[in-house]
Amino acid sequence: MSIIRFDLIEIVQIIRKHRRFVLIVSCVAAVLGAAFYLIKNKKYTAKTEFIVSNPSYTDRNNLYSANEMTFIDYFGGDDDIDRVIVLAESDTVITKIVENAHLAELYKFDMNRPTAMERLKQKFTKSFKIKRTEYKDIEISYTDRDPNIAADVANESARVIEESFRGYYNNVRRHAYDAIKDKVHQEDSTINILTDSLAALRDKYGIYDIISPARENVIIGNVKGTANTGFGKGMEQIQNIEALKDQFVTDRAKHSSYLNEFAPGSKADELRLTQVISKAKPPVDPSGAGPILTVIACALLGFFFSCFIVLVSTYYKAIISLQR
């Protein structure tokens, strides 16, 4: 018996010779693939897309820009998108999504166990995907056996991510707002104390003229007083306290203006930084390969497997016959 060369022509002839076996194996693999598709647990993937706005537009310097206008792109840049993705993959945001979507109840996790939350977050992470697209928007997808749960979790994820992203900038403004507000309250208290002191000094020395050096636009005339002892000292005290009070009043007016500028964004739902362009809906078709593609893939797998078995078996028989 001649040695089998196993070139392309020889391989085709061997497969053709055992075509019945190859066909049977391919058909069996196709039937098994169809059966597997029918009995397997189908999963559904819901997707939502949103764009990120430029946070610079919500800054007080741009909201109240009166002197010079600077062009700022309405859409967020790559750095802003990166920050959104980092927030979405953070433990804080994942925990909030899991709690808001009530996944512990839906997946029947016993939260009394110490490791329940960690296992629940791991299960969520496996089904949750976030990515940027070539159009600089963000796509969120969630996979679950229930299409309604998949859609609800995807939409809730987009809402929580936006809330966390916006909350960072709003918290910065809110902290500045609270600091300025406390300063205004302190200035109010100081102004009230200085007002009481001035009123007492004016009544004591009988001086009711405006004698504040800080009021440069006020023409100060001659202050006439009595020959009472301490009149000059009283005038100096009134002048010093009046100048100090005028400065506090000026600072308070300026800080009150700043307070109004930092007010936008201090409320929970102001100055949103993302815009959903495609809301997640319960998917109709399950994710993964469809029935036709599954049957074809299994049939091809059976075909190549049977061809491999036939070729190996033929080669092995040729080796045995040669040795004999």
Side-chain angles (χ1 to χ4, degrees):
M1 181 177 178
S2 60
I3 300 176
I4 300 178
R5 299 187 304 275
F6 270 86
D7 55 10
L8 182 59
I9 298 176
E10 192 72 28
I11 291 173
V12 172
Q13 290 177 351
I14 293 173
I15 295 174
R16 182 181 178 186
K17 183 179 179 181
H18 298 84
R19 61 183 178 273
R20 184 173 181 180
F21 173 76
V22 173
L23 183 61
I24 292 173
V25 173
S26 300
C27 292
V28 170
V31 172
L32 290 176
F36 171 76
Y37 179 82
L38 292 174
I39 64 175
K40 76 170 183 177
N41 292 322
K42 298 178 178 59
K43 293 184 178 181
Y44 299 86
T45 301
K47 297 180 181 180
T48 179
E49 293 182 62
F50 61 89
I51 56 177
V52 180
S53 302
N54 192 340
S56 298
Y57 259 111
T58 64
D59 187 74
R60 56 178 285 269
N61 294 320
N62 295 313
L63 289 175
Y64 298 95
S65 179
N67 297 328
E68 63 178 89
M69 300 297 294
T70 304
F71 174 76
I72 301 175
D73 192 1
Y74 282 97
F75 296 93
D78 292 334
D79 292 339
D80 299 315
I81 296 175
D82 289 339
R83 295 185 187 102
V84 172
I85 293 177
V86 168
L87 277 173
E89 295 175 347
S90 65
D91 185 76
T92 303
V93 172
I94 291 176
T95 301
K96 194 170 184 180
I97 296 172
V98 167
E99 292 175 350
N100 291 356
H102 306 288
L103 294 184
E105 301 174 8
L106 295 174
Y107 294 149
K108 303 189 184 312
F109 272 77
D110 185 6
M111 300 310 294
N112 294 324
R113 296 183 178 181
T115 60
M117 178 55 76
E118 288 301 321
R119 291 191 297 111
L120 183 57
K121 288 191 288 189
Q122 290 175 1
K123 180 177 177 60
F124 170 84
T125 305
K126 291 179 181 178
S127 301
F128 176 80
K129 296 289 183 293
I130 181 170
K131 65 177 183 179
R132 75 172 72 198
T133 68
E134 63 272 21
Y135 303 108
K136 286 190 176 182
D137 61 342
I138 296 179
E139 179 184 277
I140 293 176
S141 63
Y142 190 79
T143 304
D144 193 84
R145 296 178 182 177
D146 189 334
N148 295 314
I149 293 178
D152 292 342
V153 174
N155 290 325
E156 181 63 21
S157 300
R159 191 193 68 79
V160 172
I161 291 170
E162 191 281 331
E163 188 180 74
S164 300
F165 183 56
R166 170 168 42 91
Y168 171 77
Y169 292 96
N170 286 358
N171 283 336
V172 173
R173 297 189 194 93
R174 192 176 297 114
H175 292 157
Y177 179 87
D178 292 339
I180 297 173
K181 189 176 181 180
D182 291 340
K183 187 64 178 177
V184 170
H185 288 165
Q186 294 175 8
E187 291 169 344
D188 284 338
S189 300
T190 304
I191 290 172
N192 291 334
I193 293 173
L194 293 175
T195 299
D196 294 339
S197 300
L198 278 173
L201 287 173
R202 289 183 181 278
D203 291 338
K204 178 179 179 181
Y205 296 105
I207 302 174
Y208 299 101
D209 296 293
I210 299 176
I211 53 175
S212 174
R215 304 185 187 183
E216 298 176 356
N217 59 337
V218 177
I219 300 176
I220 304 175
N222 296 327
V223 181
K224 297 180 180 180
T226 60
N228 295 338
T229 304
F231 178 82
K233 181 179 180 181
M235 192 174 79
E236 293 298 326
Q237 288 179 345
I238 292 173
Q239 187 172 230
N240 293 338
I241 296 176
E242 187 69 43
L244 190 61
K245 178 191 171 184
D246 287 345
Q247 187 60 47
F248 268 97
V249 171
T250 301
D251 292 342
R252 185 192 181 283
K254 182 171 61 175
H255 294 158
S256 296
S257 177
Y258 291 159
L259 202 62
N260 291 330
E261 292 181 7
F262 278 99
S266 60
K267 295 182 180 179
D269 200 29
E270 284 187 330
L271 303 176
R272 299 178 66 87
L273 294 178
T274 66
Q275 175 66 47
V276 175
I277 57 177
S278 178
K279 190 175 181 180
K281 298 179 181 179
V284 178
D285 299 323
S287 57
I292 297 177
L293 188 60
T294 302
V295 171
I296 293 175
C298 291
L300 290 175
L301 184 63
F303 173 79
F304 288 115
F305 178 75
S306 59
C307 291
F308 176 77
I309 294 298
V310 167
L311 292 174
V312 170
S313 176
T314 303
Y315 182 76
Y316 180 75
K317 289 178 181 178
I319 295 293
I320 295 299
S321 62
L322 252 158
Q323 290 178 352
R324 290 180 180 177

